[in-house]
Amino acid sequence: MNRNSGNSKVKLPADDQSNGWYEILTDQAPSNPLKGSDSTDWLVIGGGFVGMAATRRLAELNPNQKVMLADAQRIGHGTSGRNSGFIIDLPHKGDLEGPDIERKRKFIGLNRAAIEYMEKQVTTHGIECQWSHAGKIQGAVSERGIKFLEHFQYLLQELGEPGTMLSGAELKKKVGTDYYQQALFTPGCILMQPAALMRGLLDTLPDNAICHEDTPILGLEQRGKRWVAKTRHGEIHADKVLLGTNIFTEQFGLLTSRMLPIMTFASMTRPLTEDEFKAFGGSDDWGLTPADYAGTTLRFTQDRRMIVRNQYRFVPNYSSTGRERQHIREKHRDAFLARYPKLSHVPFEYTWGGVCTLSSNYTSFFGELKPGLFASCCHNGVGAARGTISGKLLAELASDGDSQLQRDMLEVSGMPAWIPPEPFLGVGVRTRLKMAEWVSRSEI
């Protein structure tokens, strides 16, 4: 689906309207789309984790200059508000493998700097987003999953990081099901309500920052020493531009054929009643990720909603259909009932998808693309932490700042590898996703 009424060549976000995190929010102010043309010192395109952190930091560093943030949708409605609500401090998936211990420690330092920076905003401004130092449980259903857990614990021990192994019986007291054989608990992960967090960050931006929601950018070009962004109703002229556009970066002709758009899906129940919570038998406020990455993620929120996430799709148009989500909702239901048969009468209220961006060499981009044009994108499933700290550091880089964290970010970043064109890409990615789902079927 392409909602672009001004330029049919540009794909714009076309997210579904059933993101539970966003839909349960209340008392949102109307959006403020840009009408006509405007000029600014700084333009940030994309209001996700990268763009929000970049906007705030630019405004802090340049208090006498105008900072403008433009997003095609409402803040919190897109990918940043569609994740499972984890801010993970440890290296993730591909970042955790390999022999370079110091490189892994740089990832940890960057992730924890992101948590520290974001927590400062949450506490300073009193942002209500279910922020919690709950840690993260990694659960194994089968012997395959247990082997993954043991390997993960070994890698943590190499780094000197804590991790406590839990038996199935110990885990049941927390998550209310004996479906899992074993689990590994790590204490540094933050849990939160992502859409509420993003709306809170928006509402507390510095006074010299302005956000225009529902303002898609249809084109970007350099005219002389300034950058010009085309909107539906005019143009934005800016001295410097920072892109927090992830997969949509390629719509500006940048980093093309280097990023894979993969959609993950989640379903959310209504809140459990007091009797249902007693029947559930666990505690509230926890998050469980699968030992095998293609398995099932669970969240139990502070307001006693259960969230189930699994299923992955390659989405070259960055969207999903209602029919596809209905099929996925049934898969989520199967996973829910396998774990919580006593709650079989509890319905799902929402099922949604969110696009994350992967690279075939598991590398993110961070830095200056062209003079005055900066970007951070392709965070390989860890956008909450990596997006936040890279957005902050990108603002500092663009403002001629320097720090050890900035140098670390530049060191662990690079160029996402080239990927083949369609139809070869789609065939290869879909085959690989199906294979991953099949070999991980015991963990779903």
Side-chain angles (χ1 to χ4, degrees):
M1 176 180 174
N2 190 336
R3 296 181 185 174
N4 183 355
S5 62
N7 185 341
S8 61
K9 295 181 180 180
V10 176
K11 295 178 185 176
L12 294 175
D15 290 309
D16 58 69
Q17 302 298 311
S18 55
N19 172 12
W21 292 121
Y22 187 84
E23 295 301 317
I24 63 177
L25 297 178
T26 58
D27 301 325
Q28 292 192 60
S31 66
N32 177 32
L34 180 64
K35 305 293 185 182
S37 297
D38 204 348
S39 181
T40 183
D41 298 292
W42 302 89
L43 172 62
V44 180
I45 303 175
F49 289 113
V50 173
M52 190 60 65
T55 300
R56 183 180 296 275
R57 191 61 177 148
L58 284 173
E60 292 171 345
L61 293 171
N62 305 280
N64 298 317
Q65 295 183 341
K66 180 179 177 180
V67 182
M68 184 183 295
L69 170 63
D71 194 275
Q73 305 182 105
R74 300 299 303 270
I75 302 298
H77 183 268
T79 297
S80 60
R82 291 170 178 266
N83 59 73
S84 296
F86 294 79
I87 309 179
I88 299 173
D89 63 324
L90 296 172
H92 193 55
K93 297 179 183 175
D95 292 338
L96 194 58
E97 301 295 338
D100 192 337
I101 299 295
E102 289 308 309
R103 180 180 176 86
K104 296 176 191 180
R105 289 183 174 142
K106 286 181 171 63
F107 283 122
I108 294 173
L110 288 163
N111 292 344
R112 289 179 176 162
I115 290 172
E116 180 181 359
Y117 184 66
M118 199 179 297
E119 185 164 57
K120 180 180 178 181
Q121 315 312 321
V122 169
T123 56
T124 299
H125 301 290
I127 297 173
E128 296 292 336
C129 62
Q130 300 185 30
W131 187 271
S132 171
H133 287 263
K136 179 171 71 72
I137 304 162
Q138 200 167 2
V141 179
S142 65
E143 290 301 318
R144 172 184 168 84
I146 290 173
K147 290 179 180 179
F148 277 105
L149 284 189
E150 291 172 344
H151 179 59
F152 186 47
Q153 186 179 43
Y154 168 75
L155 293 174
L156 291 180
Q157 290 170 345
E158 276 193 321
L159 292 165
E161 291 291 332
T164 303
M165 205 65 91
L166 305 174
S167 68
E170 290 172 315
L171 181 62
K172 183 179 180 180
K173 295 177 183 178
K174 183 71 173 177
V175 303
T177 178
D178 56 9
Y179 191 76
Y180 295 91
Q181 289 194 47
Q182 198 168 314
L184 180 66
F185 175 77
T186 51
C189 178
I190 297 295
L191 300 182
M192 48 78 181
Q193 207 279 43
L197 173 61
M198 298 310 297
R199 296 304 299 182
L201 293 172
L202 169 66
D203 294 340
T204 58
L205 285 174
D207 291 340
N208 60 320
I210 184 171
C211 177
H212 291 295
E213 298 175 278
D214 295 325
T215 303
I217 302 301
L218 308 180
L220 183 65
E221 64 181 40
Q222 195 167 23
R223 296 181 192 168
K225 295 183 178 181
R226 303 201 86 197
W227 286 91
V228 180
K230 180 183 178 183
T231 70
R232 285 184 174 138
H233 304 291
E235 296 178 338
I236 303 171
H237 295 249
D239 293 331
K240 292 184 179 181
V241 175
L242 278 67
L243 300 178
T245 42
N246 216 4
I247 188 64
F248 297 97
T249 305
E250 63 185 17
Q251 298 304 310
F252 302 127
L254 304 165
L255 301 177
T256 56
S257 299
R258 293 184 181 276
M259 295 179 278
L260 297 169
I262 303 295
M263 183 166 282
T264 65
F265 297 86
S267 291
M268 173 189 284
T269 70
R270 61 160 170 76
L272 300 189
T273 66
E274 189 63 34
D275 287 344
E276 289 165 348
F277 182 67
K278 291 178 181 178
F280 157 67
S283 61
D284 58 11
D285 193 25
W286 51 265
L288 182 150
T289 61
D292 189 339
Y293 77 93
T296 296
T297 294
L298 298 177
R299 271 291 310 276
F300 196 75
T301 66
Q302 292 178 9
D303 56 347
R304 297 183 175 176
R305 295 174 181 268
M306 182 70 74
I307 296 169
V308 177
R309 188 189 77 178
N310 58 43
Q311 305 297 310
Y312 299 81
R313 299 290 187 274
F314 173 61
V315 285
N317 290 323
Y318 318 148
S319 62
S320 63
T321 65
R323 182 176 180 179
E324 186 173 30
R325 289 191 299 277
Q326 180 58 42
H327 172 71
I328 287 168
R329 187 187 187 100
E330 293 167 2
K331 295 284 189 180
H332 290 166
R333 196 72 192 166
D334 291 341
F336 178 69
L337 293 178
R339 290 161 174 81
Y340 301 103
K342 291 181 180 180
L343 301 178
S344 60
H345 61 286
V346 178
F348 287 145
E349 282 191 334
Y350 306 99
T351 297
W352 67 91
V355 180
C356 67
T357 308
L358 309 179
S359 59
S360 61
N361 60 346
Y362 212 76
T363 298
S364 303
F365 180 85
F366 171 88
E368 191 170 15
L369 282 166
K370 296 181 180 181
L373 179 64
F374 301 80
S376 174
C377 58
C378 201
H379 299 119
N380 294 286
V382 287
R386 189 76 55 80
T388 294
I389 193 60
S390 68
K392 176 181 181 290
L393 295 174
L394 196 68
E396 294 173 2
L397 177 67
S399 301
D400 298 323
D402 182 39
S403 67
Q404 184 60 53
L405 278 176
Q406 187 186 114
R407 292 191 289 274
D408 288 347
M409 180 62 74
L410 288 165
E411 183 178 331
V412 302
S413 303
M415 181 61 70
W418 180 85
I419 54 178
E422 291 281 32
F424 308 105
L425 176 62
V427 171
V429 173
R430 291 186 182 97
T431 300
R432 185 170 179 178
L433 289 175
K434 284 292 184 184
M435 180 64 71
E437 183 177 352
W438 187 82
V439 299
S440 306
R441 62 195 181 281
S442 61
E443 297 294 311
I444 295 176

